[in-house]
Amino acid sequence: MSTSNKFTIVRVIAAPVVFLLYFIPIWTGKFAAPSMIILLPFLVFAEITDGLDGHYARKHNEVSDFGKVFDPFADVILHLSSFCCLMFSMSRELPMAGYMPAFIFVLVFYRELSMTFLRMVAVMQGTAIAARKGGKLKTVMYIVSAFYGFFLETLVRCGVAVPYHTMKTMWGVGIGLFALCLILCYVSFVDYLIAFKPVFKSINNKK
């Protein structure tokens, strides 16, 4: 396995670890503060590997069609796992169960599943759909929103005294960030459809 792909697989492995770290305190009622103290730096490391895999792919001339598919797949697994976590909180004072509304998560999930399907179909036709600027911007927004949500949950689990109205405002900001994620993910999806229209059109003509 190439060095770049080793960095990519770190994110795939990190996804269930993040999920478990977040939910163990919810399931057991224990380790609330330690869970986030471990989770946040671990997630930072996992996200850094996204830059490292691209760096080493270019440095060692390891850029491949497989890597162009594997890299966004690893991103999707990690980010959807984070978003799934953020639909829940240990706080009993939030306006809803968590920081990310379920309907936003479902719509983001549909988009990512559809994009993954299109990448797989394109590869079968000999074309690898590389990340575009819109997709990269969407990914950055995913990361910012996830870390913001985890930051709010860290305040909750570490027992930081935040006035209710302040916390509610901060929660509202998080909802706005997730709504922006939703908009950007579908804008970038349309951009991919337009940019790779000839590929998808050729697939349709072969049916």
Side-chain angles (χ1 to χ4, degrees), residues 30-103:
K30 301 177 181 178
F31 314 113
S35 67
M36 299 308 297
I37 292 173
I38 297 172
L39 187 154
L40 286 176
F42 179 75
L43 187 57
V44 168
F45 168 72
E47 293 291 359
I48 288 175
T49 64
D50 191 16
L52 292 175
D53 59 14
H55 169 74
Y56 281 98
R58 292 185 294 271
K59 182 179 179 180
H60 296 161
N61 194 28
E62 298 172 347
V63 177
S64 64
D65 289 346
F66 173 77
K68 291 178 181 178
V69 175
F70 189 36
D71 179 63
F73 170 76
D75 289 342
V76 167
I77 291 293
L78 181 59
H79 296 150
L80 288 182
S81 295
S82 296
F83 287 169
C84 181
C85 292
L86 292 169
M87 289 193 292
F88 301 89
S89 170
M90 293 189 75
S91 173
R92 296 295 178 266
E93 297 182 351
L94 297 178
M96 61 176 63
Y99 306 97
M100 184 176 198
F103 80 91

Side-chain angles (χ1 to χ4, degrees), residues 5-35:
N5 286 336
K6 287 179 181 178
F7 280 115
T8 302
I9 204 170
V10 168
R11 296 198 299 287
V12 176
I13 297 172
V17 175
V18 168
F19 184 87
L20 288 174
L21 284 172
Y22 192 87
F23 277 101
I24 284 175
I26 294 177
W27 294 333
T28 66
K30 301 177 181 178
F31 314 113
S35 67

